[in-house]
Amino acid sequence: MNALEKALIARIEATGPISIADYMAECLMHPEHGYYQQQAVFGAEGDFITAPEISQMFGEMVGLWLADRWIKMGRPESLQLIELGPGRGTLMADILRATEPVEDFQDALNVHLVEASSQLRDEQRKRVPTAMWHDSLRTVPEGPALIVANEFFDALPIHQFEKRDGIWLERVVGVADGNLAPMLAQAGPQVSLIPNHLKQSPEGCVLEVCPAALSVIGDMAERFSLTSGAALIIDYGYRKSAPGETLQAVADHAYANPFSNPGQADLTAHVDFEQLARAATEKGLKSYGAANQGIFLMSIGLGARAQHLARSSEPAVQEQILADLTRLTADDQMGSLFKVLALQSYDLPPPPGF
Ligand code: SAH
């Protein structure tokens, strides 16, 4: 039994079962034993690989999308460029490199990284030494802003509810036979976040809500109500809110039991893009998408970029470029499971890619 498991069992025995959200937060962000406090969680060596770690082309395309938004803002002299959950810092490094040729863009930039893990902050500092770090979007100074988040929202803690005898109960983590185990309890106040049209879901259905995600969207809306702004959110998830259970644990590129070995596996849930888009539009933002990642990337020029890179490469590298392109865009790979949502202030014209 690992140290986090012991600590969680002691806590639950003392004060009762905890919500899935509390459990996720402890597993991912515990200051000593949390998953993101370890090194080498990303990439071929780690537990999973993300789009920016697959290919530099991903960050380059995202960078050009962001630079286009800055141009459409009227090229403000000062811009807050913000990344939520930057991992190893690869995406931001690629964004900065790809946008070097965009006249005056780099001079306008103040780069802000919102990162909870001190280990990952150290990794990010190696690749983006000029950045400023924050615990939350709220402490980033005001001003025109562009925000990017790749595989950030899936790490935010969710609550799960299950309908039994016509009543929504909450799934919690308790202790059974000396081990952590999922069980049902009276629902906490977050049950009120279940969208109205899903409240009548049939017996046995499981629904997930993510208050932390809604709060980040609220912070974006507040920021973009004061000055121009756009956000690009990329993650795996579903386009329409629907019943279903998506909490998953991944360790060493394979699925694991979310309730064993806490802190040793990545715990995520699919992102409910409809819920994010609805929260954003209710708060005065314009939303675009969610588009499939494959279609988004190809329509902003990933194919042309790959061709350009391949032209000056050796055959082995050409093959790798083609393999990366396929991995990012094919429907049976990341192309349609991953989705892209753009949120903007109303003064901006529609973004490319949707
Ligand atoms: N964007 C990166 C990493 C994705 S993993 C990539 O695509 O490779 C999720 C990232 O979000 C990690 O950097 C993790 O430490 C960070 N993170 C998760 N929850 C967070 C929170 N509540 N606040 C700030 N950062 C968080």
Side-chain angles (χ1 to χ4, degrees):
M1 184 174 289
N2 72 40
L4 182 56
E5 200 167 359
K6 276 190 200 146
L8 286 171
I9 288 177
R11 170 178 165 191
I12 290 167
E13 283 177 342
T15 58
I18 58 175
S19 67
I20 297 280
D22 276 355
Y23 179 70
M24 265 181 98
E26 290 284 351
C27 290
L28 294 176
M29 291 299 166
H30 186 281
E32 217 179 318
H33 309 298
Y35 180 73
Y36 284 116
Q37 286 298 355
Q38 306 163 53
Q39 273 170 344
V41 294
F42 312 102
E45 305 288 293
D47 288 321
F48 61 99
I49 187 156
T50 58
E53 301 295 338
I54 289 173
S55 167
Q56 65 179 65
M57 296 186 292
F58 180 81
E60 290 169 352
M61 300 322 297
V62 169
L64 296 178
W65 189 94
L66 294 167
D68 169 76
R69 294 295 83 195
W70 171 74
I71 291 168
K72 298 298 187 314
M73 281 176 179
R75 299 173 175 265
E77 271 176 25
S78 172
L79 177 78
Q80 316 297 4
L81 175 60
I82 307 164
E83 183 175 356
L84 308 178
R88 297 187 339 132
T90 308
L91 174 59
M92 185 55 82
D94 289 341
I95 290 171
L96 294 177
R97 199 191 54 257
T99 53
E100 255 166 40
V102 181
E103 213 181 332
D104 298 333
F105 183 61
Q106 306 260 325
D107 293 339
L109 291 185
N110 307 291
V111 178
H112 302 276
L113 303 180
V114 176
E115 174 57 65
S117 152
S118 53
Q119 288 279 9
L120 286 173
R121 283 186 183 198
D122 291 342
E123 278 292 308
Q124 293 153 16
R125 200 167 287 117
K126 292 182 199 159
R127 292 175 187 81
V128 194
T130 55
M132 286 160 271
W133 278 265
H134 301 264
D135 290 330
S136 125
L137 186 54
R138 273 177 232 136
T139 55
V140 176
E142 279 178 17
L146 291 172
I147 302 176
V148 61
N150 186 62
E151 290 208 42
F152 167 74
F153 281 86
D154 66 62
L156 298 181
I158 54 150
H159 290 259
Q160 285 187 331
F161 301 99
E162 184 173 328
K163 200 175 229 184
R164 287 288 180 94
D165 298 326
I167 294 171
W168 288 105
L169 297 179
E170 180 154 1
R171 284 194 171 177
V172 293
V173 182
V175 176
D177 299 329
N179 291 312
L180 294 171
M183 39 189 76
L184 289 170
Q186 196 182 357
Q190 294 81 5
V191 73
S192 65
L193 295 173
I194 294 178
N196 274 338
H197 68 286
L198 292 178
K199 287 200 172 123
Q200 300 311 321
S201 301
E203 193 62 20
C205 273
V206 175
L207 284 176
E208 296 176 341
V209 298
C210 187
L214 300 177
S215 141
V216 174
I217 298 291
D219 292 343
M220 287 181 185
E222 202 176 312
R223 182 171 292 274
F224 298 168
S225 71
L226 302 171
T227 45
S228 280
L232 194 65
I233 298 169
I234 306 154
D235 225 306
Y236 52 99
Y238 37 103
R239 188 170 285 120
K240 290 243 157 269
S241 303
E245 178 185 357
T246 72
L247 180 72
Q248 66 183 33
V250 170
D252 205 8
H253 297 270
Y255 291 110
N257 176 350
F259 304 106
S260 56
N261 262 330
Q264 299 299 308
D266 187 32
L267 273 190
T268 61
H270 283 33
V271 173
D272 179 347
F273 281 100
E274 189 187 8
Q275 215 172 68
L276 298 192
R278 192 181 323 111
T281 46
E282 277 171 9
K283 292 188 160 70
L285 296 183
K286 186 110 176 79
S287 89
Y288 298 87
N292 287 357
Q293 171 172 295
I295 293 173
F296 171 79
L297 288 174
M298 290 309 273
S299 74
I300 62 170
L302 180 64
R305 176 67 187 143
Q307 258 181 2
H308 180 82
L309 277 178
R311 221 174 284 138
S312 53
S313 308
E314 301 289 314
V317 180
Q318 288 180 346
E319 259 175 54
Q320 188 58 50
I321 292 170
L322 183 64
D324 294 344
L325 177 73
T326 308
R327 185 139 184 213
L328 292 174
T329 59
D331 278 341
D332 60 351
Q333 303 208 28
M334 294 172 84
S336 52
L337 174 61
F338 280 76
K339 310 231 165 19
V340 185
L341 178 72
L343 304 175
Q344 294 192 156
S345 53
Y346 263 84
D347 56 320
L348 293 178
F354 293 91

